[in-house]
Amino acid sequence: MGTLRLDIPAKMLPFWELQRRHKIARGGRGSGKSWSVGQMLALHGYIKPMRILCAREVQKSIEQSSFKLVADSIQRMGLGNWYDVQRKAIYGPNGTEITFAGLQDHTADSLKSYEGVDICWIEEAHSVTERSANILIPTIRAPGSELWWSYNPEQAEDFIHQLAENPDDDTLVVTINHRDNPWFPAELEKERVKLQKINPDLYAHVWEGQCRSAAGLMFKRDWFQHYDVLPSRLNLY
């Protein structure tokens, strides 16, 4: 095996370098936070045997999980021949296993099988309910185990946002956005600029990682004023 590269934005390096019970990455689209986590998990599992759980609130199928992102990260890092990427889980020859689960359908009893997990990554963490969080967190109890949360802030009252806004000494919070990603693609830059002009409130949420405004983001827009006359009927032929 040649040299392995960890291509992640500098802001995400504390995830790799520091030991914390909770590690939170929050921000808007195109920040590279999810791709960074995928690479770091792949590398952790390569370096030593680890049990890694990739969770989200709702996962009706493996296609709705972070499976493809992690599998793509493995290929990108040149570890495709080392990991055994199966249909629903990923295994390393050293005993590493990476599994995927939805929290909504679990109870405290059904999550007991994950007690030995070393790292639990919760993607789209803004969707995680207080119930799910209070079942998951005490379940991840192996010595030195960590919970990694990644999300784009949605509502200020969301469980994960409250955790990020009120961190203790064992919680790392990284706020990262598109400008922090040196690999931010030109295609997304065009879309970012376009939305900034059309819908500033929605832009602030999508690209700058701000919570949605209480008044809503879709209908309070200057550009609706351009439509003084609306058609009374729409014929779909």
Side-chain angles (χ1 to χ4, degrees), residues 26-217:
R26 61 179 178 178
R29 188 174 301 169
S31 62
K33 54 187 180 294
S34 296
W35 284 110
S36 296
V37 170
Q39 290 183 65
M40 288 186 282
L41 293 180
L43 191 52
H44 268 301
Y46 173 75
I47 292 173
K48 64 179 181 179
M50 299 199 76
R51 288 189 63 191
I52 298 171
L53 172 64
C54 300
R56 59 179 60 206
E57 179 68 13
V58 178
Q59 179 185 301
K60 297 300 183 183
S61 66
I62 197 68
E63 287 77 16
Q64 294 179 342
S65 72
S66 303
F67 180 89
K68 189 176 188 319
L69 188 149
V70 175
D72 287 349
S73 296
I74 287 171
Q75 293 295 331
R76 185 178 297 105
M77 297 181 71
L79 293 172
N81 293 328
W82 190 83
Y83 275 105
D84 179 15
V85 180
Q86 299 187 5
R87 288 183 62 249
K88 295 185 177 181
I90 300 171
Y91 300 96
N94 63 349
T96 286
E97 61 177 50
I98 305 175
T99 54
F100 303 83
L103 300 175
Q104 187 181 66
D105 299 326
H106 278 285
T107 64
D109 287 336
S110 64
L111 273 178
K112 283 184 178 179
S113 61
Y114 297 116
E115 288 180 0
V117 162
D118 298 294
I119 298 177
C120 179
W121 173 30
I122 307 96
E123 171 70 309
E124 296 184 358
H126 59 274
S127 299
V128 173
T129 65
E130 186 173 358
R131 169 199 171 275
S132 294
N134 287 331
I135 293 175
L136 175 67
I137 292 173
T139 299
I140 308 302
R141 63 182 70 176
S145 57
E146 297 183 344
L147 294 106
W148 294 15
W149 311 78
S150 58
Y151 77 109
N152 187 347
E154 185 81 17
Q155 303 293 336
E157 307 82 35
D158 290 339
F159 175 88
I160 185 56
H161 196 65
Q162 287 296 309
L163 187 64
E165 290 291 285
N166 301 280
D168 59 18
D169 292 340
D170 209 15
T171 300
L172 168 71
V173 181
V174 172
T175 300
I176 182 169
N177 284 302
H178 60 92
R179 64 182 60 83
D180 303 307
N181 182 4
W183 299 279
F184 187 70
E187 291 78 9
L188 288 187
E189 174 63 11
K190 293 177 183 178
E191 298 301 327
R192 184 191 71 80
V193 172
K194 184 188 303 181
L195 186 59
Q196 188 176 28
K197 294 178 180 178
I198 294 175
N199 192 328
D201 288 342
L202 185 58
Y203 168 85
H205 167 64
V206 172
W207 294 104
E208 300 296 340
Q210 297 181 20
C211 290
R212 290 179 179 269
S213 63
L217 294 169

